[in-house]
Amino acid sequence: MKKIIKNGIIVTATDTFNADLLIDNGIICQIGTNLSEQGADVIDAKGCYLFPGGVDPHTHLEMPFGGTVTKDDFETGTIAAAFGGTTTIIDFCLTNKGEPLKDAIKTWHAKSNGRAVVDYGFHLMIGEVNEAVLNELPSVIEKEGITSFKVFMAYKNVLQADDETLFKTLIAAKDLGALVMVHAENGDVIDYLVKKALEGGKTEPIYHALTRPQVIEGEATARAATFTGLANSQLYVVHVTCADAAKAIADARNRGIEVWGETCPQYLVLDQTYLERPNFEGAKYVWSPPLREKWNQDALWSALKTGTLQTIGSDQCSFDFNGQKDLGKGDFSKIPNGGPMIEDRLSILFSEGVKKGRISLNQFVDITSTRAAKLFGLYPKKGTITVGVDADIVIFDPTVERTISAETHHMAVDYNAFEGMKVTGEPISVLSRGEFVVQDKKFVGTVGAGQYLKRAKYGKNYETVEDKTLSM
Ligand code: URP
Ligand code: ZN
Ligand code: ZN
Ligand code: ZN
């Protein structure tokens, strides 16, 4: 069935213009003024922006972590994503040392297959590099279309990899055409500081932040960037929280090293004082790297504006306050790390960024959608509005005012980290490949309609994947 969206203002990473948009068979097939209706369903988007569906490059759905499993799974997580205007997510597939990579990937397919309501891909965690891993990586890229590898420089004795592993991953990725992602904090130093704090009876949530100072995020970021230059490879730093890390990225980029940076809504609007909230409420804001002193927010906004940071991921990793976060009562190091962010990523960036004049409307689209699609091999199928690509469209009313709250959110988790925050602008309807997932703020999607995305190699357009499929 054809659909025509009329009277909207189309916004891409480069242009803003009034046009109608004809969708057929899930694809945008015509853009123009006064398009004839041709028997299509007509959707009136008067007064609304039409954005390409958001691409969230950083989610953890149904992930075992901190002795429990994240509350939102691929069903609830992608429904919440859709309400927030995100139509593509890339989730982190964890691996275990000694386990074949293909088994880990199979586990992640089992969690997501038949559950997601929007399209999704996977990044693959690399915890060790040995002959078995190196032998498997080509098929991870060619068969699974997983073209980004994640190395954790923190979470000692759990997820952390050593420098040798990171360096070898960078070399392999360069040869194979993958982008290496890092969680950049110095896990060894943190481990020591945590032990010292607990020995001194410092057990409250705030010590989570105080034992992970921002200088060691800056240090790890600079170290990863240095290795990237040495390997002549490419790096994407996830969840940049502070001025020190942003500066490390800017310095590396100035030296000609290919380093990209992501921040998250939480670091742009919340700060370290949230962890000091009484009655253990600070635990709601425990994630890594931690929230920082407020002055860092200006540095992050400025880094987004000037292009030192290019994307915004949610780092969705939700745990209930009651029953999950309380695993860390009496010992902050046992509070499961993570927060619920998948739903409010676009709203916060629009309201705090565009509305407050910190970034332009086109930058907003680039940061929330286009750039991630390009970096992670999904462009132009995802990440833009043009003829011939997936009709992933957000109909966004820039004037609606609302208050973010767990009472009204769609995540499965029992609190919202942005509770009480007033935002302007909201997705009204959201389409994934031409089908409504959210229509007039109601869920009308289909559980399992989300498709797994095989992504193109780093630096290549999505067509490469299709071409390959056709020639096989
Ligand atoms: O605390 C967080 N961010 N949890 C998710 C895992 C990670 O480090 O991204
Ligand atoms: Zn049709
Ligand atoms: Zn991380
Ligand atoms: Zn994460």
Side-chain angles (χ1 to χ4, degrees), residues 58 60 150 152 155 183 238-239 288-289 315:
H58 190 156
H60 305 277
K150 167 80 170 287
F152 287 93
Y155 305 121
H183 172 130
V238 302
H239 53 38
S288 300
D315 197 8

Side-chain angles (χ1 to χ4, degrees), residues 266 269-270 274 277 281 284-285 287 321 340-341 343-344 348 402-411 413-423:
Q266 51 273 33
V269 299
L270 307 178
Y274 284 73
R277 292 193 169 181
E281 217 197 314
K284 291 179 178 173
Y285 307 93
W287 47 72
F321 180 58
M341 319 296 184
E343 190 161 345
D344 300 306
I348 288 172
R402 77 184 169 101
T403 303
I404 297 177
S405 175
E407 306 269 301
T408 47
H409 78 197
H410 303 87
M411 295 176 282
V413 71
D414 67 0
Y415 77 100
N416 191 303
F418 307 108
E419 186 72 36
M421 187 179 163
K422 290 189 170 58
V423 287

Side-chain angles (χ1 to χ4, degrees), residues 421-448:
M421 187 179 163
K422 290 189 170 58
V423 287
T424 306
E426 183 180 27
I428 302 300
S429 297
V430 177
L431 296 95
S432 165
R433 281 178 282 101
E435 300 297 331
F436 281 108
V437 182
V438 173
Q439 189 169 18
D440 298 324
K441 301 196 208 179
K442 286 187 193 64
F443 179 68
V444 295
T446 308
V447 172

Side-chain angles (χ1 to χ4, degrees), residues 45-257:
K46 194 169 167 51
C48 288
Y49 290 129
L50 305 184
F51 297 139
V55 177
D56 187 344
H58 190 156
T59 70
H60 305 277
L61 299 176
E62 204 183 321
M63 181 178 81
F65 198 45
T68 181
V69 179
T70 59
K71 185 75 190 292
D72 283 284
D73 58 19
F74 276 83
E75 183 175 324
T76 63
T78 57
I79 289 172
F83 272 102
T86 291
T87 54
T88 301
I89 63 159
I90 314 179
D91 199 82
F92 289 93
C93 171
L94 296 188
T95 56
N96 298 302
K97 281 185 184 166
E99 177 197 42
L101 300 176
K102 67 171 173 17
D103 291 357
I105 297 167
K106 208 168 148 190
T107 302
W108 242 254
H109 278 304
K111 290 177 199 281
S112 50
N113 190 21
R115 307 292 307 282
V117 308
V118 298
D119 293 350
Y120 61 97
F122 301 150
H123 310 288
L124 186 72
M125 172 191 156
I126 302 290
E128 60 183 347
V129 177
N130 52 34
E131 214 158 309
V133 168
L134 288 172
N135 284 337
E136 262 199 279
L137 286 181
S139 77
V140 165
I141 292 194
E142 303 290 341
K143 288 215 179 69
E144 290 290 339
I146 296 178
T147 53
S148 42
F149 305 145
K150 167 80 170 287
V151 177
F152 287 93
M153 301 170 79
Y155 305 121
K156 191 167 169 140
N157 301 323
V158 188
L159 303 173
Q160 186 173 329
D162 59 14
D163 286 353
E164 181 182 351
T165 302
L166 172 57
F167 189 56
K168 285 176 169 170
T169 304
L170 283 160
I171 292 169
K174 174 70 189 173
D175 294 341
L176 293 164
L179 181 57
V180 177
M181 310 169 80
V182 280
H183 172 130
E185 286 185 294
N186 189 315
D188 288 11
V189 172
I190 290 166
D191 189 60
Y192 173 77
L193 293 175
V194 169
K195 280 184 188 141
K196 291 304 269 186
L198 291 173
E199 276 169 25
K202 296 167 174 168
T203 60
E204 296 295 309
I206 183 61
Y207 290 102
H208 172 76
L210 299 179
T211 54
R212 310 178 85 101
Q214 71 183 57
V215 288
I216 58 178
E217 183 186 339
E219 179 277 323
T221 305
R223 180 160 35 106
T226 300
F227 297 166
T228 305
L230 197 58
N232 191 24
S233 189
Q234 49 261 347
L235 183 75
Y236 177 99
V237 184
V238 302
H239 53 38
V240 171
T241 73
C242 60
D244 300 59
K247 182 173 182 307
I249 293 171
D251 288 349
R253 289 171 67 83
N254 284 336
R255 296 202 305 277
I257 302 172

Side-chain angles (χ1 to χ4, degrees), residues 1-3 23-26:
M1 182 62 196
K2 289 180 183 172
K3 289 188 180 74
I23 300 167
D24 191 15
N25 225 355

